[in-house]
């Protein structure tokens, strides 16, 4: 249970506003509709709140004068008490302003400015004893968030939430990019786009473009001790928060006082503006772990892609990937090219047979006989390379939790600094066993798992280990509070190119920067060089050019960034591989320069603690020439641009390896012309020169 504690980074100065006066008038003349409004610091976004005829709290949002959220309800229903839905009046409002800058230990940018106006609205129902709740609203220049704060109340000691009534009522038709919610493959779907018509339930972030060109992305921040939500289109254009239920049907089991996560809307006049939003991080609590200098971002290779393309197996046998010898080979490669880590999957007992369904058999401490944990970690230590651990649970959470302490202590004892966890199970099939031995099956994004994922991060922190969950809960910015929560999957990643039907389409990575990536970092695992591993004619291939694989290192942020392919495939293309060797995984600053959702994207990032800049640009199935102004560079400084771009005949389908690697001297006054082939890209390193 989280309790309401003041945000230590903010120095909110509450001022009783004029609104209170308006409010008092409302109380003197009952029946009047009373309300309040709060605007972004630049005045462009206005969030207003009032009470409807039956005493139902509701809100609207305007952006630059346009109504972008129509009248939308607030409230919730409980299993055995009166809900927060009707009969309410506003009893008090308070406003405040925060403007401060905080520092990330690692991240897409070092300094984050948190500049917002806040409105706190207190509601009470008219009967006695009064039902009470509050809504806290924060409006930034890049969007807004609001959360329910429910104070301690005698009749609400224990509360089972059966429905949250929060609505997002879109003004009319819009273009939307979305993946389906409550479906078996969790967050791992190809994005759909088009009108709102086809949507029943959608995961967040879900991003829309209004006819005016305004872009909005719906998500949540600080998801703690609560269920995640999907957007449920209950009426045309009207989305309701649909909380993922427990296996017994209750959505959230809590008691007063409690807080909900922030319901967020990122707002921008154009697509590229979304790329520069820090809203989700700003709505999270500051670092709760103290000194986190032991948390290390970095690049890694791994015994991984080989299993997905069936060169290796996770299971024991002649093709077993996780052998001592093979791991040492990967460590040699990592050391030679400056990688920080080597991921090894399939090292522990339990992979034989159908591991998808045998999660109860996984041991997290016993290795296969051909893998010597001590020997490989000793070997790595000599080379300056760390083993990245792996815990696949197949969704059998009780089996994992029973072994947690021992498993993490083992990894800590041999110097493992980060562990990739896995929850391969159909959505709704996460198994836990209660005290009576009865098995229960939960969703990956219900309250039970929200709690499990966060406990796994806290547990790992006790052992100074970072975490990278696959089949995770969606990112809601908790890396700010728990900086060892480095990255996660929660996206249809590179692995689908190995065996997915179909593989990721060319537009996939031109959509996810504006949707999934708005939530936070993703372990997408870029960098496959042998794009046509089953031959040019096979459908099972990577649908990008080689240059686009390089662009992904800049476009898709992850503090643990993988070079996914086999070492021998990199050794064949050392010229192109040089970009992966050079590109960092930790940044001083990141700038979304240009783009349109599903068409293209251009990102620039500056190395953390350095002066080099990197640019990544990529396109969907359409070839295009992009002009990129370099005005983000230091004025008056000359830079050498090392450019890795598509050749003039590059095309993902029949000529994916056509790449040009060239150099050019540039300054901030220059514009780079980047010709991109179909599903192509460009990756550029900019180095200051005298
Ligand atoms: C699914 C993960 O996404 C993938 O990276 C991993 O190799 C397998 N599970 C096995 O754990
Ligand atoms: Ca996966």
């Amino acid at each position: 249970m989280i309790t309401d504690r003041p945000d230590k980074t903010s120095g909110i100065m509450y001022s009783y506003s004029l609104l209170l006066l308006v409010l008092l008038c409302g109380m003197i003349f009952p029946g009047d509709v009373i309300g309040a409004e709060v605007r972004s610091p630049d005045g462009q976004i206005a969030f207003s709140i009032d009470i409807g005829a039956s005493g139902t709290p509701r809100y609207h949002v305007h952006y630059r004068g346009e109504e972008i959220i129509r009248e939308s309800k607030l409230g919730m229903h409980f299993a055995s008490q009166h809900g927060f839905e009707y009969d309410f009046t506003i009893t008090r409002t308070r406003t405040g302003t925060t403007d401060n800058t905080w520092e990330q230990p690692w991240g897409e940018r070092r300094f984050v400015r948190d500049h917002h106006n806040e409105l706190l609205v207190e509601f009470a129902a008219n009967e006695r004893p009064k039902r009470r709740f509050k809504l806290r609203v924060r409006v930034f220049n890049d969007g807004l968030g609001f959360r329910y704060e429910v104070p301690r109340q005698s009749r609400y000691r224990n509360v089972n939430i059966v429905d949250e009534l929060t609505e997002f009522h879109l003004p009319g038709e819009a273009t939307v990019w979305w993946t389906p919610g409550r479906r078996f493959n969790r967050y791992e779907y190809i994005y759909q786009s088009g009108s709102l018509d086809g949507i029943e339930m959608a995961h967040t972030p879900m991003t829309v473009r209004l006819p005016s060109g305004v872009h909005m992305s719906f998500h949540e921040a600080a998801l703690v001790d609560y269920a995640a939500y999907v957007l449920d289109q209950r009426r045309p254009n009207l989305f309701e928060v649909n909380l993922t239920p427990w296996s017994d049907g209750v959505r959230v089991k809590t008691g007063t006082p409690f807080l909900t996560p922030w319901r967020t809307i990122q707002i921008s006049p154009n697509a590229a503006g979304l790329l520069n939003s820090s809203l989700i991080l700003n709505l999270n609590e500051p670092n709760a772990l103290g000194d986190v200098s032991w948390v290390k971002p970095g690049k890694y290779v791994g015994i991984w892609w080989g299993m997905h393309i069936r060169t290796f197996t996770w299971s024991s046998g002649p093709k077993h990937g996780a052998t001592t010898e093979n791991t040492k080979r990967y460590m040699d490669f990592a050391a030679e090219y400056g990688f920080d880590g080597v991921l090894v999957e399939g090292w522990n007992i339990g992979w034989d047979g159908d591991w998808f369904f045998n999660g109860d058999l996984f041991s997290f401490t016993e290795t296969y006989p051909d893998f010597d944990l001590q020997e490989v970690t000793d070997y790595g230590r000599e080379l300056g390379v760390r083993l990245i651990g792996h815990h696949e649970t197949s969704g059998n959470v009780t089996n994992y939790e029973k072994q947690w302490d021992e498993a993490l202590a083992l990894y800590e004892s041999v110097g493992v600094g980060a562990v990739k966890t896995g929850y391969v199970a159909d959505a709704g099939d996460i198994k836990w066993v209660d005290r009576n031995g009865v098995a229960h099956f939960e969703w990956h994004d219900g309250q039970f798992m929200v709690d499990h994922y966060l406990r796994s991060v806290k547990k790992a922190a006790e052992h100074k280990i970072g975490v990278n969950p696959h089949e995770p809960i969606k990112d809601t910015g908790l890396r700010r509070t728990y900086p060892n929560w480095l990255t996660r999957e929660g996206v249809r990643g590179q692995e689908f190119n190995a065996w997915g039907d179909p593989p990721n389409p060319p537009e996939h990575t031109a959509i996810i920067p504006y949707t999934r990536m708005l939530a936070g970092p993703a372990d997408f695992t870029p960098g496959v060089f042998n794009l046509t591993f089953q031959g040019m004619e096979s459908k099972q291939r990577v649908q990008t050019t080689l240059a686009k694989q390089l662009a992904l290192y800049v476009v898709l942020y992850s503090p643990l960034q993988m070079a996914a392919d086999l070492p021998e495939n990199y050794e064949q293309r050392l010229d192109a591989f040089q970009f992966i060797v050079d590109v960092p995984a930790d940044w001083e600053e990141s700038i979304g320069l240009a783009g349109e959702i599903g068409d293209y994207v251009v990102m620039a990032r500056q190395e953390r603690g350095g002066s080099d800049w990197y640019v990544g640009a990529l396109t969907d199935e359409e070839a295009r020439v992009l002009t990129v102004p370099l005005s983000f560079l230091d004025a008056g400084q000359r830079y050498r641009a090392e450019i890795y771009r598509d050749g003039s005949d590059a095309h993902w389908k029949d000529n994916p390896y056509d790449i040009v690697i060239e150099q050019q001297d540039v300054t901030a006054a220059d514009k780079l012309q980047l010709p991109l082939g179909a599903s192509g890209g460009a990756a550029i390193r900019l180095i200051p020169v005298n």
Side-chain angles (χ1 to χ4, degrees):
M1 164 78 52
I2 25 176
T3 50
D4 182 11
R5 61 195 164 88
D7 181 345
K8 289 192 206 81
T9 62
S10 74
I12 289 184
M13 300 287 297
Y14 281 110
S15 59
Y16 290 84
S17 65
L18 244 188
L19 299 165
L20 189 57
L21 265 179
V22 177
L23 208 70
L24 289 170
C25 296
M27 287 161 74
I28 297 165
F29 306 108
D32 281 3
V33 174
I34 51 169
E37 183 189 273
V38 56
R39 284 180 175 261
S40 52
D42 65 6
Q44 305 283 357
I45 303 173
F47 180 104
S48 53
I49 190 157
D50 65 9
I51 299 282
S54 53
T56 302
R58 53 195 198 175
Y59 75 99
H60 296 69
V61 182
H62 286 78
Y63 180 59
R64 299 182 170 176
E66 176 186 355
E67 187 180 48
I68 58 170
I69 297 290
R70 283 161 63 180
E71 184 180 299
S72 296
K73 266 194 219 164
L74 298 163
M76 47 184 77
H77 284 161
F78 307 122
S80 45
Q81 296 104 326
H82 289 300
F84 294 155
E85 187 187 7
Y86 56 89
D87 221 16
F88 280 95
T89 51
I90 295 174
T91 54
R92 193 155 93 125
T93 66
R94 292 191 288 168
T95 59
T97 296
T98 292
D99 188 2
N100 63 50
T101 296
W102 56 279
E103 185 174 352
Q104 300 202 78
W106 48 266
E108 67 276 55
R109 58 178 55 85
R110 185 193 292 269
F111 296 109
V112 181
R113 183 174 179 196
D114 173 357
H115 188 197
H116 68 261
N117 290 327
E118 177 171 294
L119 170 70
L120 182 67
V121 187
E122 301 187 15
F123 300 92
N126 295 322
E127 84 276 349
R128 295 196 173 274
K130 287 182 184 296
R131 279 173 282 144
R132 293 174 193 284
F133 77 97
K134 303 177 197 178
L135 193 79
R136 191 178 297 271
V137 188
R138 289 186 180 163
V139 188
F140 303 73
N141 292 342
D142 57 341
L144 61 91
F146 57 88
R147 79 177 342 168
Y148 301 89
E149 299 186 357
V150 181
R152 188 177 301 284
Q153 287 163 85
S154 56
R155 292 192 183 171
Y156 294 84
R157 210 146 276 161
N158 296 310
V159 168
N160 283 342
I161 301 173
V162 292
D163 197 8
E164 185 182 309
L165 307 176
T166 310
E167 293 175 345
F168 302 101
H169 195 172
L170 292 172
E173 225 4 278
T175 309
V176 56
W177 289 265
W178 61 288
T179 54
R182 220 59 61 77
R183 294 264 300 273
F184 84 95
N185 229 0
R186 309 165 306 271
Y187 301 112
E188 298 172 32
Y189 284 93
I190 292 173
Y191 275 83
Q192 304 191 42
S193 62
S195 75
L196 298 169
D197 284 351
I199 307 176
E200 287 178 15
M201 289 196 236
H203 278 303
T204 70
M206 178 183 96
T207 302
V208 305
R209 183 177 63 216
L210 301 181
S212 63
V214 170
H215 288 66
M216 281 191 273
S217 188
F218 299 91
H219 190 47
E220 57 186 307
L223 171 56
V224 178
D225 198 22
Y226 206 77
Y229 81 86
V230 297
L231 287 159
D232 185 352
Q233 189 167 210
R234 298 285 289 261
R235 296 266 192 286
N237 311 344
L238 176 69
F239 291 86
E240 195 187 286
V241 164
N242 185 321
L243 300 171
T244 301
W246 283 77
S247 49
D248 63 9
V250 172
R251 309 282 165 146
V252 175
K253 302 179 184 187
T254 184
T256 62
F258 72 90
L259 296 174
T260 71
W262 297 90
R263 279 66 190 89
T264 61
I265 312 176
Q266 284 158 285
I267 303 167
S268 169
N270 50 45
L274 291 175
L275 305 171
N276 297 312
S277 170
S278 293
L279 181 89
I280 304 299
L281 283 173
N282 273 328
L283 288 170
N284 273 274
E285 297 295 320
N287 173 12
L289 297 181
D291 173 21
V292 286
S293 53
W294 49 271
V295 180
K296 303 274 187 231
K299 287 181 295 187
Y300 71 102
V301 291
I303 300 178
W304 178 78
W305 181 245
M307 277 82 99
H308 289 270
I309 59 171
R310 296 173 188 221
T311 306
F312 302 138
T313 57
W314 283 281
S315 55
S316 60
K319 293 206 298 182
H320 187 214
T323 65
T324 302
E325 194 196 336
N326 203 21
T327 306
K328 287 182 173 175
R329 184 170 71 92
Y330 271 76
M331 285 183 156
D332 289 338
F333 178 81
E336 181 166 356
Y337 296 103
F339 288 87
D340 307 280
V342 173
L343 167 71
V344 179
E345 298 196 359
W347 64 278
N348 57 320
I349 301 286
W351 291 91
D352 295 341
D354 194 346
W355 61 266
F356 263 58
F357 299 100
N358 285 345
D360 284 334
L361 304 180
F362 276 121
S363 163
F364 300 98
T365 50
E366 289 167 274
T367 67
Y368 280 121
D370 54 356
F371 181 79
D372 189 325
L373 181 65
Q374 192 68 53
E375 189 178 332
V376 298
T377 48
D378 287 347
Y379 189 79
R381 199 169 304 110
E382 290 292 308
L383 298 171
V385 176
R386 292 174 102 181
L387 185 76
I388 297 183
H390 186 233
H391 288 161
E392 173 58 61
T393 68
S394 294
N396 290 54
V397 161
T398 304
N399 178 52
Y400 184 37
E401 289 195 7
K402 273 197 235 153
Q403 301 180 57
W404 247 351
D405 289 309
E406 247 190 298
L408 290 166
L410 173 65
Y411 269 160
E412 186 183 10
S413 73
V414 295
V416 167
V419 60
K420 169 176 171 179
T421 57
Y423 297 86
V424 171
D426 282 3
D429 280 354
I430 290 280
K431 180 179 171 188
W432 65 279
V433 181
D434 68 20
R435 277 195 211 106
N436 303 319
V438 178
H440 304 265
F441 295 88
E442 306 291 343
W443 295 88
H444 287 70
D445 55 353
Q447 186 183 13
F448 174 83
M449 284 304 285
V450 165
D451 176 59
H452 168 84
Y453 289 112
L454 183 54
R455 274 189 301 121
S456 83
V457 169
K458 292 180 183 172
K459 272 254 172 243
E462 289 169 19
H463 297 272
K464 296 199 166 23
I465 289 176
V467 183
N468 168 16
H470 277 228
E471 301 76 50
I473 183 64
K474 62 184 166 185
D475 197 340
T476 60
L478 287 166
R479 64 187 157 124
R480 179 175 177 189
T481 316
Y482 304 97
N484 68 320
W485 200 335
L486 283 156
T487 189
R488 77 191 73 203
E489 191 190 38
V491 65
R492 200 177 196 269
Q494 182 91 272
E495 62 185 14
F496 278 80
N497 297 327
W499 41 256
D501 181 16
N504 294 328
E507 69 171 3
H508 190 56
T509 48
I511 296 176
I512 60 178
Y514 307 96
T515 50
R516 161 65 180 85
M517 301 306 294
L518 298 183
D523 189 30
F524 185 84
T525 67
V528 168
F529 271 29
N530 184 7
L531 303 156
T532 49
F533 46 87
Q534 286 186 15
M536 290 288 281
E537 299 314 314
S538 171
K539 279 192 185 147
Q540 205 67 63
R541 56 184 284 183
V542 182
Q543 298 189 355
T544 73
T545 65
L546 182 59
K548 186 171 175 178
Q549 286 296 310
L550 300 181
L552 294 176
Y553 285 86
V554 187
V555 170
L556 302 180
Y557 170 60
S558 182
L560 288 183
Q561 190 70 284
M562 189 178 202
D565 211 338
L566 312 176
E568 51 271 35
N569 291 334
Y570 290 132
E571 272 158 354
Q572 305 250 322
R573 289 302 315 235
L574 286 177
D575 55 347
F577 185 55
Q578 189 59 44
F579 185 80
I580 301 180
V581 171
D582 293 336
V583 70
D586 195 20
W587 305 101
E588 194 70 32
E589 187 52 274
S590 292
I591 309 170
L593 292 176
E596 290 296 341
I597 311 180
D599 295 339
Y600 70 100
V601 58
V602 188
M603 292 288 314
R605 302 189 196 268
Q606 187 179 31
E607 180 176 17
R608 175 73 72 112
S611 43
D612 290 3
W613 281 85
Y614 289 79
V615 173
L618 61 82
T619 178
D620 63 355
E621 68 287 347
E622 295 216 3
R624 65 186 85 225
V625 180
L626 297 176
T627 303
V628 180
L630 300 176
S631 48
F632 56 86
L633 295 175
D634 282 353
Q637 172 68 54
R638 294 199 70 74
Y639 292 81
R640 186 176 72 240
E642 298 176 351
I643 303 168
Y644 303 69
R645 62 166 176 87
D646 292 322
S648 51
D649 294 327
H651 190 296
W652 72 268
K653 202 165 193 173
D654 47 37
N655 200 11
Y657 300 106
D658 184 13
I659 192 169
V660 172
I661 303 172
E662 61 189 4
Q663 297 196 353
Q664 196 177 317
D665 269 13
V666 295
T667 69
D670 289 321
K671 292 180 176 151
L672 277 183
Q673 297 281 332
L674 299 176
L676 310 181
S679 196
I684 301 153
R685 180 185 184 193
L686 295 143
I687 308 159
V689 287
N690 293 329

